[in-house]
């Protein structure tokens, strides 16, 4: 199994220095498996970048994504010599616009997501959710595969053990809080486990000892999330997990973590 680490959107928010970095990444994984290519999160899609499916003005003004066509997962899949149709599965941490934005670029892929997340995104009820979930990202009616946690736990966490059509090396790990049905995605590699924790935390210091996460970043996350208690509880558990020598934990937006796995932040 080979894992490619992709940055599918550089975003340089207003006041970025108060968040601990000038620019954030959208850290996605492209995994070569026996079941075809598996994309973990999609970043911003081609339509968001070229304006066909424009992002909300507020997001563009405040989060300031670079809108670089070369950064889309679609362009990077092609650069690696694959066709978009080779992406057979997309496993999502959640459906926020910077994670599910590339769904329309891979219309033939099965889309795996927690049932609670799909319900929250497609049946938006909270006013605050209307700017994070964009119906244009699933207007093509993807082939959804939804799950509740079931089966044997993973490292003490609830887990979805068997994703439809995928092998046992890729699991969904519910880490609710940042969004209703937010999950991590655990991948078993030759070196051990890699846990992509999505937006369960934003800055490496939040789960690693001896470092302090910027206060503004903590406040920003609290503002976004529907369940702060669950979010903080999960961060506490991720802190323990990250201290395990055979488990590597990464999140979506920390550029230093992306560089540590060999990525280049542009
Ligand atoms: Zn995000």
């Amino acid at each position: 199994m080979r894992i490619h680490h992709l940055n599918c959107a550089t975003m340089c928010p207003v006041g970025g220095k108060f968040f601990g970095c000038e620019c954030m990444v959208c850290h996605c994984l492209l995994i070569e498996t026996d079941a075809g290519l598996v994309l973990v999160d999609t970043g911003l899609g081609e339509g968001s970048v070229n304006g066909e499916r424009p992002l909300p003005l507020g997001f563009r003004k405040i989060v300031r994504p670079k809108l670089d066509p070369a950064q889309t997962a679609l362009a990077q899949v092609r650069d690696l010599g694959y066709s978009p149709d080779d992406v057979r599965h997309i496993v999502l941490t959640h459906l926020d616009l910077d994670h599910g934005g590339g769904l329309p670029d891979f219309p033939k892929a099965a889309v795996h997501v927690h049932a609670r997340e799909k319900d929250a995104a497609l049946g938006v009820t909270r006013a605050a959710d209307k700017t994070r979930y964009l119906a244009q990202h699933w207007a093509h009616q993807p082939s959804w595969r939804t799950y509740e946690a079931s089966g044997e736990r993973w490292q003490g966490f609830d887990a979805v053990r068997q994703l439809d059509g995928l092998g046992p090396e890729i699991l969904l790990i519910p880490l609710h809080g940042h969004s209703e049905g937010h999950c991590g995605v655990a991948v078993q590699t030759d070196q051990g486990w890699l846990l992509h924790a999505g937006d369960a935390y934003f800055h490496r210091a939040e789960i690693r000892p001896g470092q302090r996460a910027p206060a503004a970043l903590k406040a920003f996350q609290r503002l976004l999330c529907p369940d702060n208690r669950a979010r903080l509880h999960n961060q506490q558990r991720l802190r323990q997990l990250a201290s395990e020598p055979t488990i590597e934990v990464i999140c979506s937006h920390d550029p230093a973590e992306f560089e540590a796995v060999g990525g280049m932040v542009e």
Side-chain angles (χ1 to χ4, degrees), residues 201-264:
Y201 68 99
F202 273 56
H203 190 283
R204 58 207 169 277
E206 290 176 281
I207 63 151
R208 293 185 180 92
Q211 304 183 39
R212 269 181 94 85
L217 189 62
K218 290 186 182 175
F220 167 74
Q221 293 181 72
R222 199 163 50 236
L223 208 74
L224 276 182
C225 76
D227 189 342
N228 199 46
R229 272 179 68 151
R231 187 182 70 83
L232 293 175
H233 175 64
N234 282 325
Q235 279 193 354
Q236 178 66 38
R237 300 194 304 157
L238 288 173
R239 226 165 277 142
Q240 286 169 8
L241 196 68
S243 66
E244 301 280 340
T246 58
I247 300 175
E248 184 171 13
V249 184
I250 57 170
C251 70
S252 293
H253 297 306
D254 188 321
E257 284 185 352
F258 184 67
E259 286 177 326
V261 293
M264 290 237 306

Side-chain angles (χ1 to χ4, degrees), residues 11 26 94 96 98-99 178 199 202 252-253:
M11 306 185 292
C26 269
H94 61 305
D96 274 357
D98 54 326
H99 298 259
H178 172 75
D199 287 359
F202 273 56
S252 293
H253 297 306

